[in-house]
Amino acid sequence: QHPKVLAHAGHQRTSAGRADSARGAAGAPRGTWAKMDMLLRLASKTLNVLCQVIPGMVCTKVPHASEALSLGSLYVFVQALGLLWCFLVSLCAVICTRIVTAAIESGNTGAGGAAPLLDRPLHAVAVCYVYYCVVRVMSLFGQCMWTVAWEIYHDFPTMRHMLSRGVKKKSSSPAGPDAAPPLDLQPLTSLTGGAVPRRISKGSTPNARTASGSPRNTASNGVASKERAPSGSPRNQSCNGTASKEKVDKGGATPAGGANGEGQAADEEILRRRRMIQDRRRNLSLLCPLACLIFLNVVLLSGQVYCEGVHTYMCQEGGFFDPLGRLNRNTRFVIFLAMMQWFQAWTGFFPTWHIALSRGRRGCTERVLQTLVIFLLVPTSILRLLLWFVKPAGIGVVQHLIGLRHFLIDSVLVMGWSVWMLSASLCMQRPEVLKHSGFSLRALRDAEKWAHMVTMFKFTLFFWQGAHFVRGLISLGWGHAQNDLIMITMLYPALLCMTWTVTFVGVALSRLDRDPIMTCMVFVLGMGGLLGLAWLICASVERDSHSLLVVAVWLHLVRQSFRIVRRWARLMHVQPEADDALPRYQRMPSLHFALDPKGHKDLKTSYTFERRVGRVAVRALLLICACFCATLAVCVFMGALQQRHGLLKEEIITWRELPDGRGVQTENAGASMMSLTWANKSFPPDEDAALYAVRGPEDAPHYAVCGHKWHGLQLVDYAFMSLMAYMESERTSSLLSFLQTLFPHKQVSIQKAHAYTGQRRWLDLNIRDCEPDGQRCRDVTVVAVSGTDPTKLMDYAENLRMWTEPVALNILSTVFPTVRIWPRDTTALVIGTIHSLLKRLAIEDDQWHYREILEHIRQLPADRDVVITGHSLGGGIALILGALTDRLAVAIQPPGVYHSLAKHQVQQSQIGPHTGAGQAVHKRSVSVIVEGDWIQNFDGHGGLVQTMGCDQTKKSAAVGCHLLEGAICHLLRHCGDEAQRFSACKHEYTPVPAAVQMATEVIAFARASWQGSYIYSRLHSVASVGFTMSAIMVARYGAPSIPRSIFAIS
C-alpha cells in the first residue's frame, strides 16, 4: 500500500499520498516503489554503518577518545595559526622594509626607481591602504580560526547552549511539559513530543536575546540552524523548518497582556515576523555550507577544464588549477573531507532520512534523490574509495577510470553528494517529510548525546586525514605524506572559516524584512560593485594584475560596507524590534561569532586554564613579531641614513707587514688581530712556538677534511680569499700585493673588484691551477663574498631578512613539537608557500645584496670552473649562489641555508615538484663550522659539513668563535699548510675596546642624523602639529585616564 501522510491533526490525506494514488491509478507497478524502498533502506544502513556505527564504537570503546580528539582538533587549528603567524612575520618584515626605504628615498632626488612619497601622496596613501587591507584580512582570519579552535575543543558550547534553550523539562504552559517558550514556538508536535501551545504565558518567557553577529546563535529549534559556517559541523542543526505557520489562539492571553485588539494584533505581527526571520536563518545555516562546497567544486572543475592546454598564471605547474599539483590535489581532498564531516552530521541529525524520503514522496524530486543515491552515488563512491586506498595517484600522475581522469571523477562525486544533500535538506523542511526523519531536540539537550555527536564529528576529521597520511606514507614516502599533511592543515581551517563567514553573512542578511529575491539581487550587485572598486584601487597603484591582492582589498571593502550598513540601519530604525525599550519577548535576537565564556554562566567552564595559556602564547608571539618588525625597521632606517650621508667606515680589515719581514698581520675592526709568520722565520724568543706553530707535513691531521683540495686549493686558501673580500677594493694595488703575498706559489689576479657603494663587497679572482708536472694548467674563477660588516647597519637588516623564516619555525617548534620532525621538504614547502603568497601580493622579498653577484656568475661560461666562497653572511650567500647556479660553494662559518634556501629558489623560479630543488644544497657545497659559534644555529646545514673546535671559548658570547682570523689559525694549526708558507699563526681578540669605540661612533652618528633631520630643522612646526593632533584626539576620544596610584603618597 502507498503510505498515507497525514496533516497535523491527522484527518486528511496530504498531496504526497494523492500523488502516490495518482501514480497507482496511472498503471505504475505496485511493487516498484517497494523495491526502491528496500534498496534505499539497504543504502541507508550501509551509510549508517560507515558514518555512525563504526565511529560511534571507536569513540565509545577507546578510553579517553573524546579528550584525545579535542586536543588533536585544537592542535590542528592552533598549528595553522602558528603557520599564519610565520606568514604574518614575513609579511610585516617586507612591508616595514619597503615603507622605511620609500620614506628615506622620498627625500633623495637621486633615488632610482623609487616612488617618492611626497611627490605622489595619493599614490602613497593608496599603497598603504592596499597593504593595510592585507594585514587586516589576515588578522581577521586568525581571529576566526581562534574562535573555531576553542569551540571545537570545548564541544561547541555556544551552539549547544543555543539549541537547548528551546526545550524545557518543566513549563507553566498549559500545553504540557514539552511546550516551547513563546519566543521558540514549535511548529510540529512531532519535534518535541508535545503539543503546540494554545496560550502564551508571559511568566514563562525566557530571555531569548543573544549577542549580534554569529551563525552559531541563529536559532534554537530549526532544521536549518548550524552553529558554524564550516561544512560538516553538527552544531547548528535545529529542527523547525520553513513551515512554521501556526497562529496564536485569538481567544488566549496575548504575550503582552494587552486588553485591546490593536495591542494583540501588534504582538502577533511581531511574533510572525520573528518566526519568518528565524526560518530564513535556519534555512541559510543549513544550505550555505553545502552551497560553498558546490561553489568550490564548480570553480575547480571550471578551472581544470579551462587550463587544458593553457599556460596562464593560475594554470602554471603547481598552481591552484593545476590538477596534478599538490595545491589542487589537497584542496580537492579538503573539500571531500568537509563533505564527509557534513554527511556524518547530517545522518546523525536525521537517522531515518530514508523513511522520510519514502513516505514523503510527492513528485519527481524524491524519485530522483532515491535513484541517485541507490544506483549512482553509493556504488560509484565505494569503488572510487577502494581505488583511492589501493592505488594513490600522487603528484604529476593521471589515472583513467571509465575513460575519465581521476580528478574529474573526484570533483563530480563530491559535488554530486553536496547537491544531493542540499536537495534532501530542502525536502526535509516540509512538515510531512520532517516528522519521519527521526530528528529530536531532546537529543541535542542531552549532554552525553551531544558530546558523543561532536566526538564523532572530530573522529571523521582525523580518520580521513590519517588515512590520507598513511596511504601517502606507504606509497610515496615520509616527505610526501608530511607535505600533504601540512598542506591539509593549512587548507582545512581556511575552508572552515570561509564557510563560516559565508553563513554568517547570510544569517545577518536574513534579519532584513525584505523580499529574499530582491535582497539577494542587491547583495550580488553590491558585491560586484565592491569588486570593481577593489580592482580600481589596485589598478591605481599598478597592481591590478595580482588577483590575490584584489581579493584582499575586496574582502576589506565588504566588511567595512557591512559595518556602515549596520550603523545606518540602526540610525534609520530599520530594526525597531531590537530596541531595548521593547518587552523582552518582543525583541529580535541578534547574532555574534561566539558567546563570551567569561560573561555567561553556562559557558564559564569553557574558559579553562588551557585557554588562558593559549592567550598568553598568542600575545607572546605577537609581541615577538612586533619587536622583530621594529628592530628591522630601525636597522633599515638607520642603515639608509648611514648610506645616504656617507657615514661608512671605508676599511674594516687592514693588513701590514711585520717588522724585520717576519710575516704579515691583519686587523679586524680594531678588535681581532692575526699574525702570520713565514716558514723561514721564527717566533721571538718570548713567544711559545709550540702553541702557535703550524702543523707540519709529517704530522697527522686532526680533521677528516684536512688534505682535501678543490681545484688545487685547501680550505685555508678559501678562508684567505674570504678575508680579502672584506678589504677596500678601490685600492687594487694594495689588495693585489696582499693576494700575491698570501699565494706566492700560484698565479693569481683580480678580474673584478666591487667598490663599496652600499651593497655587498665581493671579488672576482682568477687563479691558474696547474698539475704537479706543470704541463696541464686550467684557470679557476673564485668569487669571494664579504660577510657582515659590524659598522654597517644595513648588514644587520640583511641578516634579519635572510633568516627570518627558519628562526620563526624554531620558535614555533617550542610550542609544536611535531615541527622538529618535519623533513627538509616540508619546511621548504612552508617557506616557499609564504614567499609564493608574497609574490602574488606584489611584495616579493627579492631585494637581496647578492643580485649583482648572481648576474655576474650567470654570465660566466658554463664550462668554466667557478668556486664561490665567503665567511659568515658571505658564506651563506655563497651557499645560496652555488645552489642557484649549480657551482661549487665553500663557506667558512656560515649561518646555514638548509631551510631558508627555499625562498630564494621560489624567487628565482627554481622550485617545483620535478626540479630537485630540495637536493641542491647537498650537491656541491662545503661548510666549515666552529663549535660554540651561536650564529651557525640560525639554520641547518647541508652538503659536506666539517665541525671544528674553538680557541676563544671564553669569549664565545662576544662572537669569539665566529671570527675568520681564529678559523684561519685553527686550520693552519690542525690541518697544516701544504704550500709550507707559514710556520706560526697567532690570533688575539679584545672585544671591549672595540665595542666602546663602536658605541661612541653610533652615538655620534645618531646625534649628527638628528641634527640634520627635517624634524630638527622644523622643530617648532612639528611640535605645533603634534599638539594640534593631540587636542583633536582628546576631543574625539577623550583624555586618557590617569591611575590614582600615581598621586598616592607613600
Side-chain angles (χ1 to χ4, degrees), residues 540-813:
S540 65
V541 294
E542 294 88 19
R543 288 168 174 82
D544 53 306
S545 60
H546 297 79
S547 57
L548 193 60
L549 195 62
V550 176
V551 170
V553 177
W554 174 69
L555 290 175
H556 186 264
L557 290 175
V558 168
R559 181 179 182 273
Q560 295 304 112
S561 300
F562 270 103
R563 296 183 66 181
I564 293 173
V565 170
R566 183 180 177 184
R567 292 178 181 177
W568 175 80
R570 288 178 177 178
L571 293 175
M572 299 301 294
H573 301 286
V574 175
Q575 300 171 346
E577 65 276 12
D579 190 359
D580 294 337
L582 292 175
R584 182 173 298 177
Y585 68 89
Q586 292 183 357
R587 299 172 187 171
M588 182 62 63
S590 55
L591 305 170
H592 68 82
F593 258 149
L595 294 178
D596 186 5
K598 297 184 296 183
H600 198 280
K601 61 180 181 180
D602 295 335
L603 302 181
K604 286 182 179 180
T605 56
S606 69
Y607 195 73
T608 57
F609 174 75
E610 295 88 345
R611 190 161 186 172
R612 295 188 182 95
V613 172
R615 294 183 66 179
V616 172
V618 169
R619 292 174 180 176
L621 291 176
L622 292 178
L623 180 61
I624 292 173
C625 178
C627 293
F628 168 76
C629 293
T631 304
L632 179 61
V634 169
C635 290
V636 173
F637 178 76
M638 300 298 292
L641 288 179
Q642 189 181 32
Q643 292 181 6
R644 182 176 178 181
H645 296 287
L647 301 176
L648 299 172
K649 191 172 182 179
E650 294 183 358
E651 286 187 297
I652 181 177
I653 295 181
T654 59
W655 75 281
R656 65 185 181 89
E657 293 186 0
L658 291 174
D660 301 331
R662 290 187 294 106
V664 294
Q665 186 180 70
T666 63
E667 184 178 351
N668 186 348
S672 178
M673 185 176 296
M674 178 181 65
S675 301
L676 295 169
T677 305
W678 298 120
N680 55 356
K681 302 293 181 179
S682 61
F683 280 103
D686 57 343
E687 294 288 347
D688 189 359
L691 184 61
Y692 306 112
V694 175
R695 183 165 297 276
E698 68 281 355
D699 299 328
H702 288 177
Y703 297 109
V705 77
C706 297
H708 287 269
K709 291 184 178 181
W710 293 269
H711 300 288
L713 299 173
Q714 293 180 272
L715 279 177
V716 69
D717 296 328
Y718 289 106
F720 279 133
M721 287 182 280
S722 300
L723 180 67
M724 294 180 59
Y726 285 95
M727 297 182 178
E728 178 57 45
S729 58
E730 292 182 354
R731 301 179 182 179
T732 308
S733 59
S734 176
L735 192 60
L736 181 59
S737 176
F738 183 61
L739 178 64
Q740 293 174 350
T741 301
L742 293 178
F743 296 93
H745 61 294
K746 295 286 185 179
Q747 299 180 16
V748 294
S749 61
I750 300 177
Q751 299 296 321
K752 186 175 182 179
H754 182 74
Y756 192 37
T757 57
Q759 295 297 326
R760 184 73 29 211
R761 285 190 180 109
W762 61 278
L763 297 174
D764 184 343
L765 306 175
N766 184 76
I767 299 178
R768 193 166 185 81
D769 181 26
C770 298
E771 298 291 338
D773 54 5
Q775 296 181 356
R776 297 181 57 186
C777 295
R778 187 179 182 88
D779 291 335
V780 179
T781 297
V782 178
V783 178
V785 186
S786 65
T788 303
D789 186 345
T791 64
K792 183 182 175 185
L793 296 175
M794 194 61 76
D795 280 7
Y796 295 101
E798 186 77 0
N799 281 280
L800 291 174
R801 293 173 56 238
M802 189 78 76
W803 285 277
T804 298
E805 293 79 13
V807 174
L809 289 176
N810 286 333
I811 294 175
L812 281 186
S813 65

Side-chain angles (χ1 to χ4, degrees), residues 122-261:
L122 294 179
H123 180 273
V125 171
V127 171
C128 293
Y129 171 73
V130 165
Y131 290 109
Y132 165 77
C133 293
V134 175
V135 176
R136 183 57 177 159
V137 169
M138 296 304 300
S139 65
L140 292 174
F141 177 62
Q143 294 176 16
C144 187
M145 278 202 296
W146 175 262
T147 300
V148 176
W150 290 108
E151 284 291 323
I152 290 180
Y153 179 73
H154 294 297
D155 292 340
F156 307 120
T158 302
M159 191 56 203
R160 181 174 179 271
H161 168 73
M162 291 304 301
L163 291 179
S164 62
R165 289 181 65 181
V167 182
K168 299 288 184 181
K169 287 184 177 180
K170 296 181 180 180
S171 176
S172 59
S173 174
D178 291 326
L183 292 184
D184 292 305
L185 292 177
Q186 298 286 351
L188 301 173
T189 59
S190 60
L191 299 183
T192 58
V196 178
R198 305 296 294 176
R199 291 177 178 269
I200 303 176
S201 174
K202 181 178 179 180
S204 63
T205 300
N207 182 9
R209 187 175 178 81
T210 62
S212 69
S214 172
R216 303 181 197 166
N217 304 345
T218 313
S220 52
N221 56 2
V223 172
S225 180
K226 175 176 174 289
E227 185 215 350
R228 63 183 178 117
S231 55
S233 172
R235 288 181 270 176
N236 287 354
Q237 311 292 338
S238 9
C239 192
N240 191 8
T242 58
S244 177
K245 303 297 181 182
E246 282 77 3
K247 302 295 181 180
V248 180
D249 186 13
K250 294 183 179 181
T254 63
N260 52 56

